[in-house]
Amino acid sequence: MEEQNFHVVLFPFLAHGHINSFISLASLLHRHDSNLTITFVSTPRHIQSVRSSLPHSSIRFHSLPFFPESHGLPPNTESFADLQLPQFLTFLYATESLQPAFDDFISTIASDATSHGAKVVIVSDLFLGWTVEVARKYKVFHSVFLTMSCYGAAIYLSLWINLPHTKTTSDWFPLPEYPDIILHRSQLSKPLLMADGTDPGSIFQRRELSLCCKTDAMLVNTIEEIEKRWLEMVAKFLKIPIFPIGPLLCGLKPTSPSVETEIIEWLDLHPPASVLYISFGSQYSIQKNQMWELALGLEASRRPFIWVIRPPLEFDAKDEFKGEWLPDGFEKRIKEQKSGFFVHGWAPQNAILSHKSTGAFLSHCGWNSVLESLNSGVPIIGWPLGADQLYNVTLLVELGLCVEVARGNMETSEVEKEKIANAIEMVIGDNKDGQDIRKKAKEIREMVKGSYKDESCSSAKGLAEFLKIIKTAVDN
Ligand code: UDP
């Protein structure tokens, strides 16, 4: 600590996706400047698993005590993954109880830093707005690391701060802060449609997000080349500097090597850019009737596919595969024709996307999946199911590398097999639209891969400017 100038405290929200992006950020900061003192803050179980992902001896870990039982949650709960949907809100509120312990920790390291001539910098998460209050109390620099797209975050912040949307009568409406962004009603997720501004969910989101808007700077897991306009717009509106530092790619967990080998060998049998990969991320799923429609669309397209099958929404998320999830005889026909590969578990997504036979990705447009697809130059068939996915898809369509095929996973969401088959044909097939979309995906891959090529490249510059600004800010 004595010879360190900066002590960077990384504190992600308690959700695996967020924690994984922060792990990548810790590695990036460490690679960039091994003299930085970095402390990763989380709850005990997360810290245990994060330790093995960050073996650099100079990275420290700090566990905040967390008592989920005192909020009526099961003991040992430390993430949404441990809970059912009705308990999510209680969990959000429970995370606010980490404030006193975090306050103590910052108090200790801030006074320690002062006595050694070092400076403390907090890098926290969008849903931990109260960390801004702690930063102000100890006069340390605060920044937010956005693990979503800048465009998605701008919309998310605006929609939750300007509640309610129940009275939105027109189908299309502009955002008050960003009139250039016109949203469609169908882009409002269920929680947003239900939020009236006074219910506990609205109160939590408004409080945390409004506090986050008072941060000193933002880092975004994106690249300038695809979000320049939105980065500038948000920086102007919030009056803070915003730095793109992506792509920070972070595989959530490994797949069993035998499954990975089997998938790669299956992909090896197919011509370049011919296979469709289908996955709705780590936690989302669709209705059974939508799954049937997707299956029929796949069959009609006659294109080979890899499908990561999760239980439909009507079933328990931990259920084993059941034949009734798919149309009669579908799985048997596909297996006989060797035209599809079903993954009943965790897929090696990055290995699949970077395989030369993969031609398109039917995705829910979670931001990590998007970045991984862009990094491999694979065009996207978008089927957003909720949250920021509903905005990411628009960004991707505007970029020219995605077609949206369906929206949402509620019973009312329309899914048509013909539309799915046509979209697959358009993106993978030999036609002008497909050629354009594939060309665009390749162009963007070069931009994404080039973002850290040398010091003048966009994300390398973003990171360097962030480190420069914290130095100037804390010195003043
Ligand atoms: N993922 C994976 N295998 C799977 C499902 C998901 O490796 O079978 C990874 C994927 O590569 C990505 C993450 O899980 O890194 C999903 O994150 P994303 O932001 O796309 O969606 P979320 O799961 O947060 O909705």
Side-chain angles (χ1 to χ4, degrees):
M1 177 72 203
E2 283 77 25
E3 40 309 89
Q4 312 288 346
N5 285 325
F6 289 101
H7 188 159
V8 182
V9 176
L10 300 177
F11 186 13
F13 184 70
L14 306 183
H16 294 292
H18 292 241
I19 291 173
N20 280 290
S21 297
F22 273 73
I23 290 176
S24 303
L25 175 61
S27 294
L28 175 74
L29 289 169
H30 176 74
R31 271 199 313 276
H32 188 85
D33 183 351
S34 56
N35 285 322
L36 290 174
T37 299
I38 298 170
T39 299
F40 203 103
V41 176
S42 192
T43 46
R45 237 174 59 203
H46 288 305
I47 286 295
Q48 230 174 33
S49 63
V50 170
R51 261 180 207 282
S52 55
S53 309
L54 285 171
H56 321 289
S57 55
S58 59
I59 297 184
R60 303 167 180 196
F61 301 91
H62 184 79
S63 264
L64 300 174
F66 188 49
F67 304 103
E69 315 84 290
S70 61
H71 302 272
L73 295 168
N76 299 323
T77 303
E78 290 192 21
S79 154
F80 285 124
D82 303 323
L83 298 168
Q84 301 294 325
L85 194 65
Q87 297 166 307
F88 282 10
L89 185 60
T90 315
F91 181 71
L92 284 176
Y93 271 95
T95 60
E96 291 182 327
S97 68
L98 295 168
Q99 182 161 356
F102 185 69
D103 185 307
D104 284 350
F105 174 62
I106 296 297
S107 160
T108 309
I109 61 165
S111 71
D112 189 37
T114 310
S115 58
H116 291 99
K119 315 281 181 187
V120 173
V121 175
I122 297 173
V123 183
S124 190
D125 207 306
L126 204 55
F127 306 111
L128 299 172
W130 50 263
T131 55
V132 175
E133 294 176 334
V134 177
R136 295 291 168 264
K137 184 169 169 191
Y138 297 102
K139 298 190 171 42
V140 302
F141 190 88
H142 186 278
S143 50
V144 168
F145 174 42
L146 294 177
T147 55
M148 54 171 88
S149 66
C150 185
Y151 178 75
I155 299 174
Y156 194 88
L157 285 164
S158 172
L159 289 175
W160 276 106
I161 289 170
N162 297 297
L163 290 168
H165 301 287
T166 35
K167 296 197 190 81
T168 307
T169 47
S170 58
D171 276 350
W172 294 94
F173 60 98
L175 295 183
E177 301 87 350
Y178 311 106
D180 281 13
I181 304 182
I182 316 274
L183 286 192
H184 190 265
R185 255 186 89 72
S186 60
Q187 287 174 285
L188 294 172
S189 59
K190 202 171 163 196
L192 265 164
L193 276 172
M194 284 164 42
D196 67 7
T198 61
D199 57 285
S202 307
I203 292 169
F204 175 88
Q205 293 276 7
R206 253 193 189 158
R207 184 171 58 233
E208 297 305 329
L209 299 179
S210 305
L211 278 166
C212 269
C213 292
K214 296 184 180 135
T215 185
D216 299 312
M218 280 187 181
L219 295 165
V220 196
N221 190 7
T222 192
I223 64 158
E224 188 179 32
E225 287 80 353
I226 60 171
E227 290 218 84
K228 192 169 193 322
R229 185 170 165 214
W230 311 115
L231 287 159
E232 286 170 1
M233 218 179 247
V234 176
K236 195 167 159 202
F237 179 72
L238 293 180
K239 300 189 180 62
I240 53 167
I242 298 196
F243 305 100
I245 56 161
L248 296 182
L249 305 172
C250 47
L252 270 183
K253 57 179 178 185
T255 315
S256 90
S258 61
V259 172
E260 178 157 346
T261 308
E262 206 187 335
I263 293 174
I264 299 304
E265 283 174 1
W266 187 86
L267 276 167
D268 286 342
L269 301 173
H270 292 86
S274 64
V275 175
L276 174 72
Y277 168 59
I278 306 155
S279 169
F280 295 107
S282 62
Q283 49 195 334
Y284 281 82
S285 190
I286 51 178
Q287 307 269 342
K288 185 176 130 183
N289 66 329
Q290 297 174 327
M291 213 147 160
W292 275 50
E293 211 63 18
L294 171 56
L296 296 172
L298 287 171
E299 207 164 16
S301 82
R302 307 173 76 87
R303 298 276 175 189
F305 62 85
I306 294 178
W307 186 356
V308 186
I309 295 216
R310 223 171 275 295
L313 290 171
E314 297 88 337
F315 293 77
D316 190 288
K318 295 198 178 79
D319 272 2
E320 291 286 316
F321 177 73
K322 292 186 171 60
E324 62 180 297
W325 297 353
L326 295 171
D328 290 341
F330 174 77
E331 205 190 0
K332 188 160 169 271
R333 285 195 298 280
I334 297 297
K335 280 191 176 154
E336 277 166 11
Q337 294 158 13
K338 297 193 171 47
S339 56
F341 192 109
F342 299 95
V343 182
H344 299 294
W346 193 253
Q349 181 155 306
N350 279 313
I352 294 172
L353 287 172
S354 56
H355 194 286
K356 64 177 183 348
S357 301
T358 303
F361 181 9
L362 195 158
S363 168
H364 73 316
C365 300
W367 191 238
N368 291 307
S369 293
V370 168
L371 288 176
E372 289 157 20
S373 208
L374 300 189
N375 190 53
S376 293
V378 175
I380 294 175
I381 297 176
W383 181 346
L385 301 177
D388 57 319
Q389 302 148 27
L390 295 158
Y391 329 131
N392 293 340
V393 73
T394 311
L395 177 71
L396 298 172
V397 170
E398 279 177 13
L399 284 170
L401 52 79
C402 171
V403 285
E404 188 176 351
V405 79
R407 188 175 285 184
N409 57 4
M410 301 205 239
E411 275 157 50
T412 49
S413 308
E414 270 178 38
V415 183
E416 293 160 13
K417 56 180 181 294
E418 294 81 12
K419 203 169 167 191
I420 290 171
N422 290 342
I424 298 171
E425 192 46 38
M426 187 196 137
V427 176
I428 294 192
D430 190 17
N431 58 76
K432 172 80 176 71
D433 289 338
Q435 282 162 8
D436 288 349
I437 230 169
R438 294 195 292 271
K439 185 164 167 253
K440 194 76 206 175
K442 299 279 174 288
E443 277 169 29
I444 292 188
R445 176 185 62 191
E446 294 319 303
M447 292 174 189
V448 172
K449 286 201 178 290
S451 62
Y452 276 102
K453 219 171 182 173
D454 61 53
E455 283 170 12
S456 68
C457 295
S458 57
S459 293
K461 246 167 59 192
L463 181 63
E465 279 169 19
F466 171 69
L467 293 171
K468 201 163 123 196
I469 212 164
I470 55 178
K471 185 156 191 344
T472 333
V474 289
D475 278 350
N476 286 338

